[in-house]
């Protein structure tokens, strides 16, 4: 049974940092695309960052580029989202997600589809106060 479990959410002040973690288990194959997306109140789900299998390629939404970093352990069972310079507008439920297997993963194309990836976790809340 595929399972993605997020951790690391919390409350911080603007300008602060958080690191989200995602632990994957139960996959009978290696997903091609891994990513994070968020759901903010009153807004559509937004793909935040995607990393291709093996970590060779990443892509970020314009809203977080330069502030967030996605990474993955070599065994591909752990994925992370380092979030720096957090803003109140980053307040959201954050989900990790995985998709595939595909022949390739182009994060620049896949990031907008992250909310619809085949597997997703239950989410972790991030609240940024001003």
């Amino acid at each position: 049974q595929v399972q993605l479990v997020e951790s690391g959410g919390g409350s911080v002040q603007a300008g602060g940092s958080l690191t989200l973690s995602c632990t994957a288990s139960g996959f009978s194959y290696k997903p091609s695309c891994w990513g994070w997306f968020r759901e903010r109140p009153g807004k559509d789900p937004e793909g935040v960052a995607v990393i291709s299998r093996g970590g060779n390629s990443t892509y970020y939404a314009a809203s977080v580029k330069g502030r967030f970093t996605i990474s993955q352990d070599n065994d591909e069972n752990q994925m992370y989202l380092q979030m720096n310079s957090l803003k109140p507008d980053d307040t959201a439920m954050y989900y990790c997600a995985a998709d595939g297997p595909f022949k390739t993963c182009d994060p620049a194309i896949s990031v907008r589809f992250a909310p619809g990836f085949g597997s997703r976790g239950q989410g972790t809340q991030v609240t940024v106060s001003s």
Side-chain angles (χ1 to χ4, degrees), residues 43-89:
K43 297 185 178 181
D44 291 335
E46 177 189 19
V48 171
V50 169
I51 187 168
S52 61
R53 179 185 166 189
N56 293 328
S57 183
T58 60
Y59 194 84
Y60 300 89
S63 57
V64 306
K65 191 174 183 179
R67 300 187 297 121
F68 290 12
T69 302
I70 188 172
S71 62
Q72 192 176 43
D73 282 357
N74 289 335
D75 61 8
E76 298 179 18
N77 289 330
Q78 291 276 344
M79 182 175 63
Y80 307 96
L81 186 68
Q82 173 68 43
M83 305 185 295
N84 298 326
S85 302
L86 283 162
K87 305 174 182 179
D89 197 44

mmCIF file of all heavy atoms in Angstrom, residues 43-89:
data_model
loop_
_atom_site.group_PDB
_atom_site.id
_atom_site.type_symbol
_atom_site.label_atom_id
_atom_site.label_comp_id
_atom_site.label_asym_id
_atom_site.label_seq_id
_atom_site.Cartn_x
_atom_site.Cartn_y
_atom_site.Cartn_z
ATOM 1 N N LYS A 43 -7.996 29.739 -2.675
ATOM 2 C CA LYS A 43 -7.209 29.704 -3.912
ATOM 3 C C LYS A 43 -7.132 28.286 -4.452
ATOM 4 O O LYS A 43 -7.290 27.315 -3.714
ATOM 5 C CB LYS A 43 -5.797 30.247 -3.655
ATOM 6 C CG LYS A 43 -5.768 31.707 -3.231
ATOM 7 C CD LYS A 43 -4.351 32.227 -3.113
ATOM 8 C CE LYS A 43 -4.344 33.701 -2.725
ATOM 9 N NZ LYS A 43 -2.953 34.242 -2.615
ATOM 10 N N ASP A 44 -6.858 28.181 -5.747
ATOM 11 C CA ASP A 44 -6.691 26.869 -6.359
ATOM 12 C C ASP A 44 -5.412 26.213 -5.843
ATOM 13 O O ASP A 44 -4.444 26.903 -5.504
ATOM 14 C CB ASP A 44 -6.607 26.999 -7.878
ATOM 15 C CG ASP A 44 -7.917 27.428 -8.502
ATOM 16 O OD1 ASP A 44 -8.981 27.180 -7.878
ATOM 17 O OD2 ASP A 44 -7.886 28.004 -9.607
ATOM 18 N N PRO A 45 -5.389 24.877 -5.800
ATOM 19 C CA PRO A 45 -4.140 24.186 -5.446
ATOM 20 C C PRO A 45 -3.010 24.617 -6.367
ATOM 21 O O PRO A 45 -3.217 24.811 -7.572
ATOM 22 C CB PRO A 45 -4.487 22.712 -5.634
ATOM 23 C CG PRO A 45 -5.962 22.649 -5.457
ATOM 24 C CD PRO A 45 -6.481 23.930 -6.038
ATOM 25 N N GLU A 46 -1.821 24.750 -5.818
ATOM 26 C CA GLU A 46 -0.674 25.261 -6.576
ATOM 27 C C GLU A 46 0.508 24.312 -6.459
ATOM 28 O O GLU A 46 0.937 24.000 -5.330
ATOM 29 C CB GLU A 46 -0.264 26.631 -6.051
ATOM 30 C CG GLU A 46 0.957 27.226 -6.725
ATOM 31 C CD GLU A 46 1.475 28.482 -6.035
ATOM 32 O OE1 GLU A 46 1.125 28.697 -4.854
ATOM 33 O OE2 GLU A 46 2.212 29.249 -6.684
ATOM 34 N N GLY A 47 1.017 23.850 -7.582
ATOM 35 C CA GLY A 47 2.259 23.109 -7.577
ATOM 36 C C GLY A 47 3.392 24.020 -7.172
ATOM 37 O O GLY A 47 3.552 25.093 -7.745
ATOM 38 N N VAL A 48 4.172 23.608 -6.184
ATOM 39 C CA VAL A 48 5.222 24.450 -5.630
ATOM 40 C C VAL A 48 6.590 24.081 -6.198
ATOM 41 O O VAL A 48 7.361 24.950 -6.607
ATOM 42 C CB VAL A 48 5.232 24.341 -4.091
ATOM 43 C CG1 VAL A 48 6.438 25.034 -3.502
ATOM 44 C CG2 VAL A 48 3.945 24.912 -3.510
ATOM 45 N N ALA A 49 6.897 22.801 -6.204
ATOM 46 C CA ALA A 49 8.217 22.349 -6.667
ATOM 47 C C ALA A 49 8.127 20.901 -7.082
ATOM 48 O O ALA A 49 7.365 20.126 -6.503
ATOM 49 C CB ALA A 49 9.258 22.514 -5.563
ATOM 50 N N VAL A 50 8.913 20.541 -8.077
ATOM 51 C CA VAL A 50 8.976 19.160 -8.554
ATOM 52 C C VAL A 50 10.431 18.784 -8.772
ATOM 53 O O VAL A 50 11.240 19.610 -9.211
ATOM 54 C CB VAL A 50 8.170 18.978 -9.856
ATOM 55 C CG1 VAL A 50 8.458 17.624 -10.495
ATOM 56 C CG2 VAL A 50 6.679 19.102 -9.575
ATOM 57 N N ILE A 51 10.754 17.531 -8.468
ATOM 58 C CA ILE A 51 12.090 16.994 -8.684
ATOM 59 C C ILE A 51 11.944 15.677 -9.443
ATOM 60 O O ILE A 51 11.054 14.877 -9.163
ATOM 61 C CB ILE A 51 12.829 16.794 -7.341
ATOM 62 C CG1 ILE A 51 14.284 16.388 -7.559
ATOM 63 C CG2 ILE A 51 12.117 15.784 -6.451
ATOM 64 C CD1 ILE A 51 15.123 16.468 -6.276
ATOM 65 N N SER A 52 12.806 15.480 -10.419
ATOM 66 C CA SER A 52 12.745 14.234 -11.179
ATOM 67 C C SER A 52 13.455 13.133 -10.413
ATOM 68 O O SER A 52 14.302 13.391 -9.552
ATOM 69 C CB SER A 52 13.391 14.429 -12.553
ATOM 70 O OG SER A 52 14.755 14.783 -12.405
ATOM 71 N N ARG A 53 13.099 11.930 -10.745
ATOM 72 C CA ARG A 53 13.731 10.776 -10.108
ATOM 73 C C ARG A 53 15.234 10.865 -10.273
ATOM 74 O O ARG A 53 15.720 11.099 -11.374
ATOM 75 C CB ARG A 53 13.199 9.483 -10.725
ATOM 76 C CG ARG A 53 13.807 8.239 -10.143
ATOM 77 C CD ARG A 53 13.329 6.997 -10.877
ATOM 78 N NE ARG A 53 14.138 5.855 -10.553
ATOM 79 C CZ ARG A 53 14.050 4.689 -11.182
ATOM 80 N NH1 ARG A 53 13.174 4.528 -12.146
ATOM 81 N NH2 ARG A 53 14.829 3.690 -10.839
ATOM 82 N N GLY A 54 15.935 10.688 -9.186
ATOM 83 C CA GLY A 54 17.380 10.805 -9.200
ATOM 84 C C GLY A 54 17.866 12.203 -8.899
ATOM 85 O O GLY A 54 19.052 12.427 -8.672
ATOM 86 N N GLY A 55 16.935 13.166 -8.878
ATOM 87 C CA GLY A 55 17.283 14.525 -8.488
ATOM 88 C C GLY A 55 18.032 15.331 -9.520
ATOM 89 O O GLY A 55 18.583 16.392 -9.199
ATOM 90 N N ASN A 56 18.041 14.888 -10.771
ATOM 91 C CA ASN A 56 18.811 15.600 -11.792
ATOM 92 C C ASN A 56 18.184 16.910 -12.220
ATOM 93 O O ASN A 56 18.868 17.792 -12.754
ATOM 94 C CB ASN A 56 18.992 14.708 -13.018
ATOM 95 C CG ASN A 56 19.880 13.508 -12.726
ATOM 96 O OD1 ASN A 56 20.790 13.594 -11.913
ATOM 97 N ND2 ASN A 56 19.600 12.398 -13.381
ATOM 98 N N SER A 57 16.898 17.021 -12.022
ATOM 99 C CA SER A 57 16.211 18.208 -12.506
ATOM 100 C C SER A 57 15.158 18.651 -11.513
ATOM 101 O O SER A 57 14.443 17.818 -10.948
ATOM 102 C CB SER A 57 15.564 17.898 -13.864
ATOM 103 O OG SER A 57 14.937 19.038 -14.402
ATOM 104 N N THR A 58 15.061 19.954 -11.306
ATOM 105 C CA THR A 58 14.049 20.521 -10.416
ATOM 106 C C THR A 58 13.401 21.723 -11.079
ATOM 107 O O THR A 58 13.958 22.300 -12.022
ATOM 108 C CB THR A 58 14.658 20.965 -9.073
ATOM 109 O OG1 THR A 58 15.672 21.957 -9.324
ATOM 110 C CG2 THR A 58 15.275 19.794 -8.321
ATOM 111 N N TYR A 59 12.252 22.095 -10.571
ATOM 112 C CA TYR A 59 11.578 23.294 -11.069
ATOM 113 C C TYR A 59 10.712 23.832 -9.955
ATOM 114 O O TYR A 59 10.145 23.068 -9.169
ATOM 115 C CB TYR A 59 10.734 22.984 -12.303
ATOM 116 C CG TYR A 59 10.302 24.235 -13.049
ATOM 117 C CD1 TYR A 59 11.141 24.825 -13.978
ATOM 118 C CD2 TYR A 59 9.061 24.819 -12.801
ATOM 119 C CE1 TYR A 59 10.755 25.977 -14.646
ATOM 120 C CE2 TYR A 59 8.670 25.969 -13.457
ATOM 121 C CZ TYR A 59 9.523 26.545 -14.380
ATOM 122 O OH TYR A 59 9.146 27.679 -15.034
ATOM 123 N N TYR A 60 10.605 25.155 -9.903
ATOM 124 C CA TYR A 60 9.855 25.811 -8.849
ATOM 125 C C TYR A 60 8.820 26.766 -9.424
ATOM 126 O O TYR A 60 9.055 27.408 -10.459
ATOM 127 C CB TYR A 60 10.799 26.601 -7.940
ATOM 128 C CG TYR A 60 11.849 25.740 -7.277
ATOM 129 C CD1 TYR A 60 13.067 25.500 -7.899
ATOM 130 C CD2 TYR A 60 11.611 25.147 -6.044
ATOM 131 C CE1 TYR A 60 14.022 24.692 -7.304
ATOM 132 C CE2 TYR A 60 12.560 24.347 -5.436
ATOM 133 C CZ TYR A 60 13.764 24.122 -6.083
ATOM 134 O OH TYR A 60 14.697 23.322 -5.487
ATOM 135 N N ALA A 61 7.722 26.883 -8.724
ATOM 136 C CA ALA A 61 6.754 27.916 -9.077
ATOM 137 C C ALA A 61 7.401 29.284 -8.872
ATOM 138 O O ALA A 61 8.249 29.452 -7.978
ATOM 139 C CB ALA A 61 5.506 27.790 -8.208
ATOM 140 N N ALA A 62 7.002 30.243 -9.671
ATOM 141 C CA ALA A 62 7.588 31.576 -9.582
ATOM 142 C C ALA A 62 7.406 32.180 -8.189
ATOM 143 O O ALA A 62 8.248 32.940 -7.709
ATOM 144 C CB ALA A 62 6.962 32.485 -10.639
ATOM 145 N N SER A 63 6.327 31.810 -7.535
ATOM 146 C CA SER A 63 6.016 32.376 -6.219
ATOM 147 C C SER A 63 6.992 31.955 -5.129
ATOM 148 O O SER A 63 7.072 32.596 -4.078
ATOM 149 C CB SER A 63 4.583 31.993 -5.807
ATOM 150 O OG SER A 63 4.434 30.586 -5.802
ATOM 151 N N VAL A 64 7.745 30.868 -5.364
ATOM 152 C CA VAL A 64 8.657 30.368 -4.326
ATOM 153 C C VAL A 64 10.095 30.275 -4.800
ATOM 154 O O VAL A 64 10.995 29.981 -4.000
ATOM 155 C CB VAL A 64 8.203 28.985 -3.802
ATOM 156 C CG1 VAL A 64 6.760 29.036 -3.343
ATOM 157 C CG2 VAL A 64 8.408 27.898 -4.852
ATOM 158 N N LYS A 65 10.332 30.510 -6.065
ATOM 159 C CA LYS A 65 11.678 30.355 -6.612
ATOM 160 C C LYS A 65 12.649 31.273 -5.894
ATOM 161 O O LYS A 65 12.361 32.441 -5.650
ATOM 162 C CB LYS A 65 11.669 30.662 -8.113
ATOM 163 C CG LYS A 65 12.946 30.282 -8.825
ATOM 164 C CD LYS A 65 12.809 30.465 -10.323
ATOM 165 C CE LYS A 65 14.063 30.012 -11.055
ATOM 166 N NZ LYS A 65 13.931 30.167 -12.529
ATOM 167 N N GLY A 66 13.790 30.706 -5.530
ATOM 168 C CA GLY A 66 14.803 31.457 -4.803
ATOM 169 C C GLY A 66 14.650 31.390 -3.295
ATOM 170 O O GLY A 66 15.558 31.776 -2.557
ATOM 171 N N ARG A 67 13.498 30.900 -2.840
ATOM 172 C CA ARG A 67 13.252 30.798 -1.391
ATOM 173 C C ARG A 67 13.098 29.346 -0.943
ATOM 174 O O ARG A 67 13.447 29.018 0.191
ATOM 175 C CB ARG A 67 11.987 31.572 -1.014
ATOM 176 C CG ARG A 67 12.034 33.047 -1.339
ATOM 177 C CD ARG A 67 10.826 33.785 -0.782
ATOM 178 N NE ARG A 67 9.564 33.335 -1.366
ATOM 179 C CZ ARG A 67 8.553 32.823 -0.661
ATOM 180 N NH1 ARG A 67 8.649 32.688 0.646
ATOM 181 N NH2 ARG A 67 7.439 32.454 -1.276
ATOM 182 N N PHE A 68 12.560 28.496 -1.794
ATOM 183 C CA PHE A 68 12.318 27.092 -1.453
ATOM 184 C C PHE A 68 13.303 26.206 -2.219
ATOM 185 O O PHE A 68 13.699 26.509 -3.346
ATOM 186 C CB PHE A 68 10.905 26.673 -1.843
ATOM 187 C CG PHE A 68 9.796 27.276 -1.013
ATOM 188 C CD1 PHE A 68 10.024 28.336 -0.132
ATOM 189 C CD2 PHE A 68 8.503 26.780 -1.106
ATOM 190 C CE1 PHE A 68 9.000 28.876 0.622
ATOM 191 C CE2 PHE A 68 7.469 27.307 -0.361
ATOM 192 C CZ PHE A 68 7.722 28.365 0.493
ATOM 193 N N THR A 69 13.673 25.079 -1.591
ATOM 194 C CA THR A 69 14.547 24.102 -2.235
ATOM 195 C C THR A 69 13.995 22.713 -2.017
ATOM 196 O O THR A 69 13.757 22.307 -0.864
ATOM 197 C CB THR A 69 15.975 24.177 -1.666
ATOM 198 O OG1 THR A 69 16.490 25.497 -1.835
ATOM 199 C CG2 THR A 69 16.880 23.185 -2.382
ATOM 200 N N ILE A 70 13.807 21.982 -3.102
ATOM 201 C CA ILE A 70 13.335 20.605 -3.029
ATOM 202 C C ILE A 70 14.534 19.673 -3.157
ATOM 203 O O ILE A 70 15.473 19.940 -3.925
ATOM 204 C CB ILE A 70 12.283 20.319 -4.127
ATOM 205 C CG1 ILE A 70 11.644 18.946 -3.943
ATOM 206 C CG2 ILE A 70 12.869 20.459 -5.530
ATOM 207 C CD1 ILE A 70 10.460 18.685 -4.871
ATOM 208 N N SER A 71 14.524 18.595 -2.392
ATOM 209 C CA SER A 71 15.613 17.628 -2.469
ATOM 210 C C SER A 71 15.088 16.249 -2.118
ATOM 211 O O SER A 71 13.975 16.098 -1.617
ATOM 212 C CB SER A 71 16.763 18.017 -1.537
ATOM 213 O OG SER A 71 16.333 18.026 -0.188
ATOM 214 N N GLN A 72 15.919 15.271 -2.361
ATOM 215 C CA GLN A 72 15.503 13.886 -2.163
ATOM 216 C C GLN A 72 16.707 13.063 -1.755
ATOM 217 O O GLN A 72 17.816 13.279 -2.244
ATOM 218 C CB GLN A 72 14.901 13.352 -3.471
ATOM 219 C CG GLN A 72 14.178 12.045 -3.376
ATOM 220 C CD GLN A 72 13.547 11.673 -4.702
ATOM 221 O OE1 GLN A 72 14.149 11.825 -5.753
ATOM 222 N NE2 GLN A 72 12.318 11.184 -4.663
ATOM 223 N N ASP A 73 16.490 12.107 -0.864
ATOM 224 C CA ASP A 73 17.556 11.184 -0.510
ATOM 225 C C ASP A 73 17.861 10.261 -1.670
ATOM 226 O O ASP A 73 17.001 10.008 -2.517
ATOM 227 C CB ASP A 73 17.145 10.348 0.706
ATOM 228 C CG ASP A 73 17.268 11.125 1.990
ATOM 229 O OD1 ASP A 73 17.727 12.272 1.936
ATOM 230 O OD2 ASP A 73 16.894 10.578 3.032
ATOM 231 N N ASN A 74 19.064 9.713 -1.672
ATOM 232 C CA ASN A 74 19.466 8.828 -2.761
ATOM 233 C C ASN A 74 18.571 7.597 -2.872
ATOM 234 O O ASN A 74 18.370 7.081 -3.972
ATOM 235 C CB ASN A 74 20.917 8.396 -2.576
ATOM 236 C CG ASN A 74 21.885 9.525 -2.834
ATOM 237 O OD1 ASN A 74 21.586 10.467 -3.553
ATOM 238 N ND2 ASN A 74 23.063 9.433 -2.239
ATOM 239 N N ASP A 75 18.039 7.139 -1.744
ATOM 240 C CA ASP A 75 17.190 5.955 -1.806
ATOM 241 C C ASP A 75 15.768 6.288 -2.228
ATOM 242 O O ASP A 75 14.936 5.401 -2.369
ATOM 243 C CB ASP A 75 17.184 5.212 -0.465
ATOM 244 C CG ASP A 75 16.638 6.061 0.675
ATOM 245 O OD1 ASP A 75 16.128 7.169 0.417
ATOM 246 O OD2 ASP A 75 16.719 5.613 1.828
ATOM 247 N N GLU A 76 15.502 7.597 -2.401
ATOM 248 C CA GLU A 76 14.208 8.077 -2.896
ATOM 249 C C GLU A 76 13.056 7.716 -1.966
ATOM 250 O O GLU A 76 11.904 7.665 -2.398
ATOM 251 C CB GLU A 76 13.945 7.554 -4.307
ATOM 252 C CG GLU A 76 14.965 8.035 -5.312
ATOM 253 C CD GLU A 76 14.720 7.496 -6.710
ATOM 254 O OE1 GLU A 76 13.608 7.042 -6.996
ATOM 255 O OE2 GLU A 76 15.649 7.526 -7.526
ATOM 256 N N ASN A 77 13.357 7.461 -0.704
ATOM 257 C CA ASN A 77 12.293 7.226 0.260
ATOM 258 C C ASN A 77 11.974 8.463 1.095
ATOM 259 O O ASN A 77 10.994 8.462 1.845
ATOM 260 C CB ASN A 77 12.670 6.077 1.195
ATOM 261 C CG ASN A 77 12.655 4.744 0.491
ATOM 262 O OD1 ASN A 77 11.894 4.537 -0.443
ATOM 263 N ND2 ASN A 77 13.520 3.837 0.922
ATOM 264 N N GLN A 78 12.809 9.474 0.989
ATOM 265 C CA GLN A 78 12.606 10.710 1.719
ATOM 266 C C GLN A 78 12.735 11.878 0.759
ATOM 267 O O GLN A 78 13.642 11.925 -0.073
ATOM 268 C CB GLN A 78 13.656 10.871 2.818
ATOM 269 C CG GLN A 78 13.529 9.895 3.973
ATOM 270 C CD GLN A 78 12.526 10.355 5.014
ATOM 271 O OE1 GLN A 78 12.142 11.511 5.047
ATOM 272 N NE2 GLN A 78 12.092 9.438 5.864
ATOM 273 N N MET A 79 11.820 12.820 0.905
ATOM 274 C CA MET A 79 11.881 14.038 0.110
ATOM 275 C C MET A 79 11.714 15.215 1.063
ATOM 276 O O MET A 79 11.052 15.087 2.100
ATOM 277 C CB MET A 79 10.773 14.041 -0.945
ATOM 278 C CG MET A 79 10.792 15.259 -1.864
ATOM 279 S SD MET A 79 9.578 15.158 -3.184
ATOM 280 C CE MET A 79 8.044 15.126 -2.270
ATOM 281 N N TYR A 80 12.313 16.348 0.685
ATOM 282 C CA TYR A 80 12.312 17.493 1.581
ATOM 283 C C TYR A 80 11.933 18.767 0.824
ATOM 284 O O TYR A 80 12.121 18.869 -0.386
ATOM 285 C CB TYR A 80 13.696 17.679 2.202
ATOM 286 C CG TYR A 80 14.233 16.433 2.858
ATOM 287 C CD1 TYR A 80 15.080 15.587 2.172
ATOM 288 C CD2 TYR A 80 13.859 16.094 4.158
ATOM 289 C CE1 TYR A 80 15.566 14.433 2.757
ATOM 290 C CE2 TYR A 80 14.346 14.944 4.752
ATOM 291 C CZ TYR A 80 15.201 14.116 4.046
ATOM 292 O OH TYR A 80 15.659 12.970 4.638
ATOM 293 N N LEU A 81 11.424 19.725 1.574
ATOM 294 C CA LEU A 81 11.197 21.060 1.036
ATOM 295 C C LEU A 81 11.722 22.050 2.067
ATOM 296 O O LEU A 81 11.101 22.229 3.133
ATOM 297 C CB LEU A 81 9.718 21.318 0.745
ATOM 298 C CG LEU A 81 9.423 22.642 0.042
ATOM 299 C CD1 LEU A 81 9.981 22.614 -1.395
ATOM 300 C CD2 LEU A 81 7.918 22.933 0.010
ATOM 301 N N GLN A 82 12.869 22.646 1.761
ATOM 302 C CA GLN A 82 13.439 23.667 2.619
ATOM 303 C C GLN A 82 12.801 24.992 2.236
ATOM 304 O O GLN A 82 12.889 25.416 1.080
ATOM 305 C CB GLN A 82 14.958 23.726 2.438
ATOM 306 C CG GLN A 82 15.631 24.885 3.170
ATOM 307 C CD GLN A 82 15.583 24.733 4.679
ATOM 308 O OE1 GLN A 82 15.805 23.646 5.204
ATOM 309 N NE2 GLN A 82 15.267 25.819 5.387
ATOM 310 N N MET A 83 12.174 25.645 3.205
ATOM 311 C CA MET A 83 11.460 26.891 2.934
ATOM 312 C C MET A 83 12.100 28.012 3.739
ATOM 313 O O MET A 83 12.096 27.974 4.978
ATOM 314 C CB MET A 83 9.980 26.744 3.290
ATOM 315 C CG MET A 83 9.298 25.572 2.605
ATOM 316 S SD MET A 83 7.526 25.495 2.920
ATOM 317 C CE MET A 83 7.529 25.200 4.677
ATOM 318 N N ASN A 84 12.654 28.977 3.043
ATOM 319 C CA ASN A 84 13.296 30.134 3.680
ATOM 320 C C ASN A 84 12.528 31.407 3.341
ATOM 321 O O ASN A 84 11.738 31.441 2.406
ATOM 322 C CB ASN A 84 14.743 30.256 3.210
ATOM 323 C CG ASN A 84 15.588 29.066 3.592
ATOM 324 O OD1 ASN A 84 15.391 28.462 4.642
ATOM 325 N ND2 ASN A 84 16.538 28.727 2.729
ATOM 326 N N SER A 85 12.808 32.446 4.098
ATOM 327 C CA SER A 85 12.188 33.758 3.864
ATOM 328 C C SER A 85 10.678 33.633 3.697
ATOM 329 O O SER A 85 10.090 34.176 2.757
ATOM 330 C CB SER A 85 12.810 34.409 2.618
ATOM 331 O OG SER A 85 14.197 34.549 2.760
ATOM 332 N N LEU A 86 10.066 32.923 4.600
ATOM 333 C CA LEU A 86 8.635 32.658 4.495
ATOM 334 C C LEU A 86 7.827 33.936 4.613
ATOM 335 O O LEU A 86 8.183 34.866 5.360
ATOM 336 C CB LEU A 86 8.209 31.656 5.560
ATOM 337 C CG LEU A 86 8.576 30.205 5.232
ATOM 338 C CD1 LEU A 86 8.549 29.339 6.473
ATOM 339 C CD2 LEU A 86 7.646 29.642 4.170
ATOM 340 N N LYS A 87 6.724 33.971 3.873
ATOM 341 C CA LYS A 87 5.824 35.108 3.850
ATOM 342 C C LYS A 87 4.445 34.672 4.327
ATOM 343 O O LYS A 87 4.090 33.491 4.203
ATOM 344 C CB LYS A 87 5.703 35.645 2.427
ATOM 345 C CG LYS A 87 7.021 35.997 1.759
ATOM 346 C CD LYS A 87 6.789 36.371 0.303
ATOM 347 C CE LYS A 87 8.095 36.685 -0.405
ATOM 348 N NZ LYS A 87 7.874 37.032 -1.842
ATOM 349 N N PRO A 88 3.637 35.598 4.822
ATOM 350 C CA PRO A 88 2.266 35.218 5.215
ATOM 351 C C PRO A 88 1.497 34.547 4.064
ATOM 352 O O PRO A 88 0.667 33.678 4.313
ATOM 353 C CB PRO A 88 1.644 36.563 5.602
ATOM 354 C CG PRO A 88 2.803 37.354 6.129
ATOM 355 C CD PRO A 88 3.961 36.966 5.237
ATOM 356 N N ASP A 89 1.793 34.924 2.828
ATOM 357 C CA ASP A 89 1.115 34.337 1.681
ATOM 358 C C ASP A 89 1.508 32.879 1.465
ATOM 359 O O ASP A 89 0.866 32.189 0.666
ATOM 360 C CB ASP A 89 1.421 35.133 0.404
ATOM 361 C CG ASP A 89 0.437 34.835 -0.716
ATOM 362 O OD1 ASP A 89 -0.787 34.766 -0.452
ATOM 363 O OD2 ASP A 89 0.879 34.647 -1.867
#
